[in-house]
Amino acid sequence: MSTDNSNTNVDLAALLPEQIEEFHSRGFTVLRGAVDTDTLKAIRISINHVMMNPNGMLKGAKSGFFCGFSLHNHLLFPEWRQIAYNNLPSVTGAAADLLSTQDGEVVYADDILHSSSPACVGENVGNAHSDQNQAPFSIERNNNFGDNMVVAWIAVDSLDDLITMEVFENTHNAFDKNITSDFTASNTDTRPDWNQEKYCEWWADVDDHKRCISVNDTTKQDDGSYYQPHQVRLNAGDVALFQGLTFHRVIKSSNCTLETCRRVTIRYVNGENTRWRTDVAGSIWPYISERQKPGELIKNDMSVVSARKGLVSAPNPSSFSATDIIMPSRLSWVYFFSHILASKLSPKKKYAPSLISKIINQCPHRANKVRS
């Protein structure tokens, strides 16, 4: 499974101890100047190519939440795969430090290439949310639930005054505090296990009471029941790093163009303890359904990367050459489209789960909507 893609860049921008502490105490931190100029140029070329030659998924998201989102690029775009696996050593190294992996190796879970045009601009991209609950990967805990995932948000252009990310302090461990308050320890169980139902109940309460407040909202008292936003402003090459359950949202400017608001999201997870989820239904999305093996470690089915070595291992190394496009099998697509057809033909029901909830996990208060 090993491949020789050694990364010769040994001058890595590294996290300071206080930044690692900030990540664990506040749920996020920022690494400045993590991506060098040459790599930024290559990433811009990659994003421009993707946006100028959109695939079906990108074409179908002309407006709304997924506008300007290009998914699964490390599988579909060989040139980007080389950059993502082998030319982002500071980002991969930061993820390894934050995940506390023994060998400095992390699983490259997925990525999104972003670009924004006026058609994609709204007040914000969705409500405040966390990434990890939507994912097919288990939610593990060292200090708190969700610290087995690091989300890297990379600024490819200078985003100051154009794209603002709001991260909500202390949301990364808020559910831990909530579930622990009703937990009685025993000789065998000293901490409560992850509970999807209780997490969704807690999240519904956050939404119902609008506890993730706007940065300009002065009407709510800071009594500890609300989560304060921290505005992250990034220059080209800066990276915001936050935990899997940290709530965040994005605000876009109407001045964005396809070549001024480019950014990349990469999700890394700890391969030593992260498994395919067993607490929620499996995804029907072919890029996931073909790989997922509930209860088994995901590192056996995903790519493992290292800051010093680049790509360390992959399920099928021969498929990860410089020219190969990695596509799900036809059978996986038949399975997916059969669900779409069944959804279209079945009677419409109030509170029926949306089709998107069969692709990414969603809590009932967000998924149970009238189907259109």
Side-chain angles (χ1 to χ4, degrees):
M1 291 177 65
S2 296
T3 60
D4 184 12
N5 288 300
S6 298
N7 195 314
T8 57
N9 182 0
V10 295
D11 269 337
L12 309 183
L15 289 170
L16 298 172
E18 52 264 36
Q19 290 176 298
I20 297 175
E21 169 59 26
E22 180 181 45
F23 177 82
H24 291 294
S25 63
R26 301 177 73 190
F28 66 93
T29 192
V30 177
L31 183 60
R32 302 289 179 185
V35 184
D36 63 78
T37 302
D38 289 341
T39 302
L40 283 173
K41 289 180 181 177
I43 296 175
R44 289 177 186 129
I45 292 171
S46 299
I47 294 178
N48 288 351
H49 173 78
V50 168
M51 296 300 163
M52 297 301 292
N53 300 275
N55 58 26
M57 290 185 290
L58 189 57
K59 287 180 180 178
K62 294 180 180 179
S63 62
F65 186 88
F66 295 106
C67 186
F69 281 37
S70 177
L71 307 172
H72 309 303
N73 304 280
H74 66 121
L75 301 177
L76 298 174
F77 188 6
E79 291 79 8
W80 165 250
R81 180 160 64 239
Q82 297 302 309
I83 297 171
Y85 289 177
N86 301 316
N87 295 101
L88 296 172
S90 291
V91 184
T92 308
D97 288 342
L98 296 172
L99 292 169
S100 302
T101 57
Q102 291 183 356
D103 299 321
E105 298 175 357
V106 297
V107 173
Y108 189 107
D110 53 46
D111 57 35
I112 307 172
L113 300 183
H114 304 263
S115 185
S116 296
S117 66
C120 296
V121 172
E123 181 180 351
N124 58 60
V125 179
N127 296 315
H129 66 284
S130 64
D131 281 9
Q132 193 167 3
N133 184 58
Q134 300 174 352
F137 316 122
S138 63
I139 301 173
E140 305 294 344
R141 170 182 56 194
N142 183 19
N143 297 309
N144 56 263
F145 288 121
D147 60 9
N148 63 314
M149 174 182 281
V150 171
V151 183
W153 209 73
I154 305 170
V156 181
D157 298 307
S158 180
L159 303 179
D160 194 28
D161 297 324
L162 290 174
I163 298 285
T164 300
M165 168 177 281
E166 289 185 349
V167 290
F168 292 86
E169 296 189 41
N170 303 319
T171 51
H172 68 298
N173 60 8
F175 175 64
D176 283 75
K177 295 176 181 178
N178 176 272
I179 194 173
T180 302
S181 64
D182 297 326
F183 177 73
T184 302
S186 67
N187 292 333
T188 56
D189 296 313
T190 58
R191 297 194 296 181
D193 293 329
W194 172 258
N195 187 306
Q196 175 69 13
E197 182 178 355
K198 288 185 177 180
Y199 180 77
C200 289
E201 291 173 355
W202 169 82
W203 187 353
D205 179 77
V206 170
D207 276 1
D208 288 345
H209 294 88
K210 295 181 172 56
R211 299 194 189 280
C212 289
I213 65 176
S214 168
V215 70
N216 298 316
D217 188 348
T218 59
T219 64
K220 295 183 172 67
Q221 297 292 325
D222 187 9
D223 59 1
S225 63
Y226 295 97
Y227 303 108
Q228 300 293 329
H230 177 86
Q231 289 193 330
V232 179
R233 298 188 182 277
L234 303 175
N235 293 316
D238 294 344
V239 183
L241 300 149
F242 53 94
Q243 291 195 23
L245 292 181
T246 299
F247 275 55
H248 58 282
R249 66 181 167 209
V250 175
I251 301 173
K252 301 179 181 182
S253 166
S254 58
N255 294 323
C256 276
T257 68
L258 291 177
E259 295 192 354
T260 61
C261 294
R262 291 164 293 192
R263 58 230 186 260
V264 176
T265 299
I266 300 177
R267 299 185 183 101
Y268 299 98
V269 297
N270 189 333
E272 296 167 4
N273 64 355
T274 307
R275 300 176 181 274
W276 294 102
R277 291 182 77 166
T278 58
D279 61 324
V280 296
S283 172
I284 66 171
W285 184 236
Y287 290 91
I288 299 173
S289 66
E290 189 165 86
R291 298 182 177 203
Q292 62 192 3
K293 300 179 180 69
E296 296 189 19
L297 289 170
I298 71 165
K299 67 179 182 180
N300 299 322
D301 307 293
M302 310 284 282
S303 298
V304 177
V305 292
S306 164
R308 298 287 176 175
K309 301 177 184 178
L311 179 65
V312 175
S313 65
N316 182 5
S318 63
S319 297
F320 283 74
S321 71
T323 58
D324 281 330
I325 296 173
I326 316 302
M327 287 285 291
S329 67
R330 292 181 180 178
L331 185 61
S332 297
W333 285 109
V334 169
Y335 175 74
F336 173 70
F337 284 113
S338 68
H339 276 269
I340 292 181
L341 183 61
S343 177
K344 295 292 185 182
L345 295 178
S346 60
K348 294 181 180 179
K349 298 178 181 179
K350 190 176 183 180
Y351 304 120
S354 62
L355 183 61
I356 190 67
S357 68
K358 296 181 180 181
I359 298 173
I360 60 174
N361 181 59
Q362 292 184 310
C363 286
H365 74 285
R366 294 203 169 194
N368 289 345
K369 298 177 180 179
V370 178
R371 291 181 302 173
S372 58

